[in-house]
Amino acid sequence: MSLPHALLGLLSYRPATGYELKAAFEQSIHFFWNATLPQIYRTLNQMRERGWVAVTVEHQEGRPSRKVYRVTEAGREELRHWLAAPPEIPQPRDPLLVKVFFGRQADPAVLAAHLKMWRAHYAGLLRRYEEEIAPLIHHYAALTGASEDARYWSLTLEFGRRFARMAVDWCDAALAAVTQEGKVHG
Amino acid sequence: MSLPHALLGLLSYRPATGYELKAAFEQSIHFFWNATLPQIYRTLNQMRERGWVAVTVEHQEGRPSRKVYRVTEAGREELRHWLAAPPEIPQPRDPLLVKVFFGRQADPAVLAAHLKMWRAHYAGLLRRYEEEIAPLIHHYAALTGASEDARYWSLTLEFGRRFARMAVDWCDAALAAVTQEGKVHG
DNA sequence: ATATAATATGTGCATAGTTATATATTTAAC
DNA sequence: GTTAAATATATAACTATGCACATATTATAT
């Protein structure tokens, strides 16, 4: 499981609350590992129990207290250890491909609509990478001490770009194959 | 969730036991939706409770009985209904990308080893697609009534091919970036 | 004034998925 | 002859994830 270690990684940049970690997730890890807020809060509790993070409660009059988490030395050691362990190969799970696989039993028009929706999603992602994420990495790269990290962030962005481009291209090919159905070629 | 519907789809080709379904999975759905044996057995039970499948117990003297599942008309209706519903967009989860993202804190040599292992996996998949899966689709396409289905199976195979190729290419680029670390160009 | 969004932290329940274990038979390898 | 692998069916326990809900404050928009 990567979630506790992804949180350790984010906290290694700076201490943060669970809410702030969720926001940081949305701009980065989110594209290759997802997490909901309840999951983040629960995982932070487990990490505290294991001594990987320490909590400082910032009391504020009349407002809910902020729980600021920071990595302990044990946490940094755990992160280094996890980074050195060979990564698990991901198990792909894509409902669209299941629907395409049994596509003969579906209405070709409906299948084409699914493919178009899917294509639009990845085309949108591609735009978001260029317009939002790439500039964001540039911005953080300009900060002191972050330029080295930015090189690695860019590698994951490049993966996202290539995947999205591949998805869009495959979709076009699949759409051509699905809509061509029944036409005669000579 | 796609598992019950993937099982309905496989059973729509022919009745089968849980064990046979697992074997069929390994050669097809497996590449875009995974399932373990216990999960398949439990899901089949749920499907039976919902009336999507019917069971025939084949008693054999001195041998464990085979439970053969077949789709009911309600099951076929459910499959058609599911195929027409818009597919969920998959949430990618890839531990390697998390490790690359925080790669600055890792030993570059270890990170390179991870990337090489990952590359080897997708290069192997690519070979398997050509040598095992493509001929298999050809074989089933030759059977009466399966040629129409084979066109859709091929679309999912093509996705696998493109993904694996993209993964290998990205890996080469990432390896170059990671091992180039610290070298001076001029 | 009112509503909504954002900040901030969680609990409870349900679903989904993995690993370990148990049982029993047949077939192939050594 | 013995062992291991494949066939065949599961249950129990555990982990992970997701969705709905509860609570409270502050800032912004209408």
Side-chain angles (χ1 to χ4, degrees):
Chain A
M1 220 252 304
S2 300
L3 182 55
H5 301 96
L7 293 174
L8 280 178
L10 288 178
L11 288 173
S12 77
Y13 298 141
R14 76 178 62 83
T17 68
Y19 195 83
E20 286 165 348
L21 284 168
K22 172 64 175 167
F25 238 79
E26 294 301 315
Q27 293 182 333
S28 53
I29 315 288
H30 167 70
F31 299 103
F32 40 88
W33 199 280
N34 200 34
T36 58
L37 251 183
Q39 216 188 335
I40 287 173
Y41 283 121
R42 257 191 292 243
T43 304
L44 283 169
N45 275 330
Q46 288 162 12
M47 291 161 72
R48 193 188 46 196
E49 281 164 26
R50 288 175 196 188
W52 297 352
V53 292
V55 196
T56 319
V57 181
E58 292 185 3
H59 285 292
Q60 284 157 297
E61 302 155 43
R63 291 175 56 173
S65 312
R66 278 164 52 91
K67 283 192 179 178
V68 180
Y69 291 85
R70 60 200 78 228
V71 198
T72 62
E73 194 39 56
R76 280 185 204 279
E77 180 52 35
E78 173 62 30
L79 178 58
R80 275 191 294 270
H81 186 262
W82 180 80
L83 284 171
E88 295 152 60
I89 299 293
Q91 301 291 317
R93 286 174 195 279
D94 196 324
L96 176 79
L97 291 170
V98 181
K99 293 193 185 199
V100 169
F101 189 86
F102 297 112
R104 206 223 64 208
Q105 298 177 59
D107 175 0
V110 171
L111 196 59
H114 293 347
L115 286 164
K116 274 175 196 154
M117 189 203 85
W118 207 77
R119 188 196 188 283
H121 169 76
Y122 286 107
L125 246 190
L126 212 44
R127 256 200 318 281
R128 204 177 153 200
Y129 286 146
E130 300 313 325
E131 292 170 13
E132 183 185 336
I133 307 303
L136 202 70
I137 291 182
H138 249 83
H139 171 253
Y140 281 114
L143 299 178
T144 331
S147 65
E148 272 301 298
D149 285 287
R151 298 180 59 234
Y152 293 92
W153 303 341
S154 293
L155 288 178
T156 64
L157 172 63
E158 180 58 21
F159 182 90
R161 271 198 273 248
R162 287 177 190 232
F163 180 87
R165 239 176 259 137
M166 182 280 294
V168 167
D169 289 347
W170 171 80
C171 228
D172 287 336
L175 269 165
V178 166
T179 56
Q180 214 167 48
E181 181 114 335
K183 286 188 190 169
V184 181
H185 299 279
Chain B
M1 222 253 303
S2 300
L3 182 54
H5 301 95
L7 294 173
L8 280 178
L10 288 177
L11 288 173
S12 78
Y13 297 141
R14 76 179 60 83
T17 67
Y19 196 84
E20 286 165 348
L21 283 168
K22 172 64 175 168
F25 239 78
E26 294 301 316
Q27 294 183 333
S28 53
I29 316 287
H30 167 71
F31 299 105
F32 39 89
W33 198 280
N34 200 35
T36 57
L37 251 184
Q39 217 186 335
I40 288 173
Y41 283 120
R42 244 180 316 150
T43 304
L44 283 170
N45 275 330
Q46 289 162 11
M47 290 161 73
R48 193 187 45 195
E49 282 164 25
R50 287 174 197 190
W52 297 351
V53 292
V55 195
T56 320
V57 182
E58 292 184 5
H59 286 292
Q60 284 158 296
E61 302 154 40
R63 292 176 55 174
S65 312
R66 281 164 48 90
K67 283 192 180 177
V68 180
Y69 293 85
R70 61 198 77 228
V71 198
T72 62
E73 193 40 56
R76 281 185 203 278
E77 181 52 35
E78 172 61 30
L79 178 58
R80 274 192 294 270
H81 186 262
W82 180 80
L83 284 171
E88 296 152 59
I89 299 293
Q91 302 290 318
R93 288 177 193 276
D94 196 324
L96 176 79
L97 291 171
V98 181
K99 293 192 186 199
V100 170
F101 189 86
F102 297 114
R104 207 221 64 209
Q105 299 177 57
D107 176 0
V110 172
L111 196 59
H114 293 347
L115 285 165
K116 274 173 197 156
M117 188 203 87
W118 208 76
R119 188 195 188 283
H121 169 77
Y122 286 106
L125 245 190
L126 212 44
R127 256 200 319 280
R128 204 178 153 199
Y129 286 146
E130 299 313 325
E131 292 171 14
E132 183 185 336
I133 307 304
L136 201 69
I137 292 182
H138 249 82
H139 170 254
Y140 281 114
L143 298 178
T144 331
S147 65
E148 273 300 300
D149 285 286
R151 299 180 59 233
Y152 293 92
W153 303 340
S154 294
L155 288 178
T156 65
L157 171 63
E158 179 60 21
F159 181 90
R161 271 200 273 249
R162 287 176 189 232
F163 180 87
R165 238 177 260 137
M166 183 280 294
V168 167
D169 289 346
W170 171 79
C171 229
D172 286 336
L175 270 166
V178 166
T179 55
Q180 214 168 47
E181 180 116 333
K183 285 187 191 169
V184 182
H185 299 278

